[in-house]
């Protein structure tokens, strides 16, 4: 694409944007991570750092372990196969496997050397992020054992999420500490992560079970969570996908709603489905426009 091409975002050419983000990634983010966040002794990441790199806590969080495996595996696969990227991913995989509990979900938090600081998590996000990281690690290494383990984790998470007794931590995330209890809730954020994970797994290998989960996630997002009148995605539905009939009826968690649509667009690319792409792009724009604060700028969260 030439600099004079029609592809521009915010008055910047796509080439200028690419160069900006490449510099941010490789001249800012990666060196900062290597110096202050990557735990070169025990594996994993010390994510509680301020902008100057000062370490605020040595706790490790399962979400960021899984996401970090993904980041460094992706960097290795897509940016020159630099050995140092794969080594960070490998040492984090070692940490995750060393701390894997028998027959339960990973806890949310660990000490720096891997001792659990919480009970096994009652939500599925942490395990799904680990599965996503292992999927990317499988792609980076060519070792299918990690994709198979990711599938095992995925199926366990779907089983837990399908239980009417599944209890999300609603209060901290959505409506504050006094939010109504909502066991068995169907959650846009879970479908979002399930779709992103299954999309990537299916890029590695065809699998009917995983394809069925991707289909379920898409159907839940675009048929159940999408409110037919407002054309906005409700975050929470009852277990049978009915609307809950309380303050959750009009809850749109806008970060998830926007994030979900770019994930649907990625899945549309995998499926080569132009209609699905157009639907997701339209909903992406709809949510951004509704969330925009015309008075002060920025975007509303809920």
């Amino acid at each position: 694409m030439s600099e004079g091409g029609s592809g521009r975002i915010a008055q910047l050419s796509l080439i200028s944007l690419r160069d900006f983000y490449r510099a941010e990634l490789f001249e800012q983010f990666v060196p900062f991570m290597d110096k202050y966040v990557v735990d070169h002794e025990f594996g994993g990441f010390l994510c509680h750092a301020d902008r100057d790199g000062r370490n605020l806590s040595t706790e490790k969080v399962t979400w960021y372990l899984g996401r970090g495996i993904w980041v460094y595996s992706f960097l290795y696969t897509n940016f020159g196969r630099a050995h140092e990227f794969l080594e960070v991913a490998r040492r984090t995989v070692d940490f995750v496997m060393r701390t894997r509990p028998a027959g339960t979900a990973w806890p949310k938090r660990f000490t720096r050397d891997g001792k659990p600081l919480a009970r096994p998590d009652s939500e599925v996000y942490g395990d799904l992020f680990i599965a996503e990281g292992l999927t990317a690690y499988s792609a980076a290494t060519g070792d299918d054992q990690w994709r198979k383990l990711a599938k095992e984790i995925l199926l366990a998470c779907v089983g837990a999420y399908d239980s009417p007794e599944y209890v999300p931590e609603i209060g901290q995330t959505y409506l504050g500490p006094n939010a109504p209890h909502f066991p068995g809730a169907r959650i846009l954020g879970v479908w979002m992560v399930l779709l992103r994970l299954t999309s990537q797994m299916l890029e590695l290998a065809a699998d009917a079970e995983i394809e069925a989960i991707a289909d379920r996630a898409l159907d839940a997002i675009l048929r159940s969570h999408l409110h037919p009148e407002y054309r906005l995605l409700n975050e929470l539905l009852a277990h049978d996908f009915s609307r809950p009939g309380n303050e959750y009826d009009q809850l749109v968690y806008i970060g998830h709603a926007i994030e979900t649509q770019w994930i649907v667009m990625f899945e549309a690319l995998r499926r080569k489905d132009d209609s699905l792409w157009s639907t997701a792009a339209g909903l992406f724009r709809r949510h951004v426009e509704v969330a925009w604060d015309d008075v002060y700028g920025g975007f509303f969260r809920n």
Side-chain angles (χ1 to χ4, degrees), residues 170-192:
I170 287 172
Q172 295 181 19
T173 305
Y174 304 120
L175 297 180
N178 297 317
H181 191 56
F182 201 168
R186 295 300 190 177
I187 308 161
L188 181 65
V190 173
W191 296 119
M192 174 188 79

Short mmCIF file of all heavy atoms in Angstrom, two decimals, residues 170-192:
data_model
loop_
_atom_site.label_atom_id
_atom_site.label_comp_id
_atom_site.label_asym_id
_atom_site.label_seq_id
_atom_site.Cartn_x
_atom_site.Cartn_y
_atom_site.Cartn_z
N ILE A 170 -20.10 -11.26 40.05
CA ILE A 170 -20.78 -10.14 39.42
C ILE A 170 -20.51 -8.82 40.14
O ILE A 170 -20.28 -7.78 39.53
CB ILE A 170 -22.30 -10.42 39.36
CG1 ILE A 170 -22.56 -11.48 38.28
CG2 ILE A 170 -23.09 -9.16 39.06
CD1 ILE A 170 -23.99 -11.98 38.27
N GLY A 171 -20.52 -8.86 41.45
CA GLY A 171 -20.46 -7.62 42.21
C GLY A 171 -19.24 -6.78 41.92
O GLY A 171 -19.33 -5.57 41.76
N GLN A 172 -18.07 -7.40 41.83
CA GLN A 172 -16.84 -6.65 41.62
C GLN A 172 -16.77 -6.08 40.21
O GLN A 172 -16.12 -5.07 39.98
CB GLN A 172 -15.64 -7.57 41.86
CG GLN A 172 -15.51 -8.05 43.28
CD GLN A 172 -14.30 -8.94 43.47
OE1 GLN A 172 -13.38 -8.94 42.67
NE2 GLN A 172 -14.30 -9.72 44.54
N THR A 173 -17.44 -6.70 39.27
CA THR A 173 -17.26 -6.34 37.88
C THR A 173 -18.32 -5.40 37.35
O THR A 173 -18.02 -4.46 36.62
CB THR A 173 -17.25 -7.61 37.01
OG1 THR A 173 -16.26 -8.50 37.51
CG2 THR A 173 -16.95 -7.29 35.56
N TYR A 174 -19.57 -5.61 37.71
CA TYR A 174 -20.66 -4.94 37.01
C TYR A 174 -21.38 -3.87 37.82
O TYR A 174 -21.34 -2.70 37.48
CB TYR A 174 -21.67 -5.99 36.52
CG TYR A 174 -21.06 -7.06 35.66
CD1 TYR A 174 -21.11 -8.40 36.03
CD2 TYR A 174 -20.42 -6.74 34.46
CE1 TYR A 174 -20.55 -9.39 35.23
CE2 TYR A 174 -19.86 -7.71 33.66
CZ TYR A 174 -19.92 -9.04 34.04
OH TYR A 174 -19.37 -10.01 33.26
N LEU A 175 -22.06 -4.24 38.88
CA LEU A 175 -22.93 -3.30 39.57
C LEU A 175 -22.54 -3.05 41.02
O LEU A 175 -23.36 -2.64 41.83
CB LEU A 175 -24.39 -3.80 39.51
CG LEU A 175 -24.99 -3.91 38.10
CD1 LEU A 175 -26.42 -4.42 38.18
CD2 LEU A 175 -24.97 -2.57 37.38
N GLY A 176 -21.29 -3.30 41.35
CA GLY A 176 -20.82 -2.97 42.68
C GLY A 176 -21.04 -4.07 43.70
O GLY A 176 -21.61 -5.12 43.40
N PRO A 177 -20.61 -3.87 44.93
CA PRO A 177 -20.60 -4.93 45.95
C PRO A 177 -21.99 -5.42 46.36
O PRO A 177 -22.11 -6.51 46.88
CB PRO A 177 -19.88 -4.28 47.14
CG PRO A 177 -20.03 -2.81 46.92
CD PRO A 177 -20.03 -2.61 45.44
N ASN A 178 -23.02 -4.63 46.11
CA ASN A 178 -24.37 -5.05 46.49
C ASN A 178 -25.19 -5.56 45.30
O ASN A 178 -26.41 -5.62 45.37
CB ASN A 178 -25.11 -3.87 47.15
CG ASN A 178 -24.43 -3.43 48.43
OD1 ASN A 178 -24.02 -4.25 49.24
ND2 ASN A 178 -24.30 -2.12 48.61
N ALA A 179 -24.51 -5.93 44.24
CA ALA A 179 -25.21 -6.45 43.06
C ALA A 179 -25.94 -7.74 43.42
O ALA A 179 -25.45 -8.55 44.21
CB ALA A 179 -24.21 -6.72 41.94
N PRO A 180 -27.13 -7.96 42.87
CA PRO A 180 -27.88 -9.18 43.16
C PRO A 180 -27.11 -10.44 42.77
O PRO A 180 -26.43 -10.48 41.74
CB PRO A 180 -29.14 -9.04 42.30
CG PRO A 180 -29.27 -7.58 42.04
CD PRO A 180 -27.88 -7.04 42.00
N HIS A 181 -27.20 -11.44 43.59
CA HIS A 181 -26.61 -12.75 43.32
C HIS A 181 -27.24 -13.32 42.05
O HIS A 181 -28.43 -13.16 41.81
CB HIS A 181 -26.89 -13.66 44.52
CG HIS A 181 -26.13 -14.95 44.50
ND1 HIS A 181 -24.75 -15.02 44.41
CD2 HIS A 181 -26.56 -16.23 44.56
CE1 HIS A 181 -24.38 -16.28 44.44
NE2 HIS A 181 -25.45 -17.04 44.51
N PHE A 182 -26.43 -14.00 41.22
CA PHE A 182 -26.97 -14.44 39.93
C PHE A 182 -26.35 -15.79 39.54
O PHE A 182 -25.58 -15.88 38.58
CB PHE A 182 -26.68 -13.40 38.86
CG PHE A 182 -27.57 -13.48 37.64
CD1 PHE A 182 -27.58 -12.44 36.74
CD2 PHE A 182 -28.38 -14.57 37.40
CE1 PHE A 182 -28.38 -12.48 35.60
CE2 PHE A 182 -29.18 -14.63 36.28
CZ PHE A 182 -29.18 -13.58 35.38
N PRO A 183 -26.67 -16.86 40.26
CA PRO A 183 -26.12 -18.17 39.90
C PRO A 183 -26.64 -18.62 38.53
O PRO A 183 -27.77 -18.34 38.16
CB PRO A 183 -26.62 -19.10 41.01
CG PRO A 183 -27.82 -18.42 41.57
CD PRO A 183 -27.56 -16.94 41.44
N GLY A 184 -25.77 -19.31 37.79
CA GLY A 184 -26.16 -19.85 36.50
C GLY A 184 -26.25 -18.85 35.39
O GLY A 184 -26.73 -19.16 34.29
N ALA A 185 -25.79 -17.62 35.62
CA ALA A 185 -25.92 -16.57 34.60
C ALA A 185 -25.18 -16.96 33.33
O ALA A 185 -24.12 -17.60 33.36
CB ALA A 185 -25.36 -15.26 35.13
N ARG A 186 -25.77 -16.58 32.20
CA ARG A 186 -25.09 -16.65 30.91
C ARG A 186 -24.42 -15.30 30.69
O ARG A 186 -25.06 -14.26 30.81
CB ARG A 186 -26.08 -16.95 29.79
CG ARG A 186 -26.73 -18.32 29.90
CD ARG A 186 -25.70 -19.44 29.87
NE ARG A 186 -26.34 -20.75 29.74
CZ ARG A 186 -25.68 -21.90 29.62
NH1 ARG A 186 -24.35 -21.89 29.66
NH2 ARG A 186 -26.33 -23.04 29.49
N ILE A 187 -23.14 -15.31 30.39
CA ILE A 187 -22.31 -14.12 30.47
C ILE A 187 -21.66 -13.86 29.11
O ILE A 187 -20.98 -14.72 28.56
CB ILE A 187 -21.23 -14.30 31.54
CG1 ILE A 187 -21.86 -14.74 32.87
CG2 ILE A 187 -20.41 -13.04 31.71
CD1 ILE A 187 -20.88 -15.38 33.82
N LEU A 188 -21.87 -12.66 28.59
CA LEU A 188 -21.26 -12.31 27.31
C LEU A 188 -19.75 -12.50 27.35
O LEU A 188 -19.15 -12.99 26.39
CB LEU A 188 -21.60 -10.85 26.96
CG LEU A 188 -21.04 -10.35 25.64
CD1 LEU A 188 -21.66 -11.10 24.46
CD2 LEU A 188 -21.26 -8.85 25.50
N GLY A 189 -19.11 -12.10 28.46
CA GLY A 189 -17.66 -12.22 28.56
C GLY A 189 -17.16 -13.64 28.40
O GLY A 189 -16.08 -13.87 27.83
N VAL A 190 -17.92 -14.61 28.90
CA VAL A 190 -17.51 -16.01 28.75
C VAL A 190 -17.63 -16.44 27.30
O VAL A 190 -16.71 -17.07 26.74
CB VAL A 190 -18.32 -16.93 29.68
CG1 VAL A 190 -18.01 -18.39 29.40
CG2 VAL A 190 -18.02 -16.61 31.14
N TRP A 191 -18.75 -16.11 26.64
CA TRP A 191 -18.89 -16.48 25.22
C TRP A 191 -17.78 -15.82 24.40
O TRP A 191 -17.26 -16.42 23.45
CB TRP A 191 -20.25 -16.05 24.70
CG TRP A 191 -21.42 -16.71 25.34
CD1 TRP A 191 -22.43 -16.11 26.05
CD2 TRP A 191 -21.73 -18.12 25.35
NE1 TRP A 191 -23.33 -17.04 26.49
CE2 TRP A 191 -22.92 -18.28 26.08
CE3 TRP A 191 -21.10 -19.25 24.82
CZ2 TRP A 191 -23.51 -19.52 26.28
CZ3 TRP A 191 -21.68 -20.49 25.04
CH2 TRP A 191 -22.87 -20.63 25.76
N MET A 192 -17.45 -14.61 24.74
CA MET A 192 -16.39 -13.88 24.04
C MET A 192 -15.07 -14.65 24.10
O MET A 192 -14.41 -14.87 23.07
CB MET A 192 -16.24 -12.50 24.68
CG MET A 192 -15.09 -11.66 24.19
SD MET A 192 -14.91 -10.16 25.19
CE MET A 192 -14.07 -10.82 26.65
#
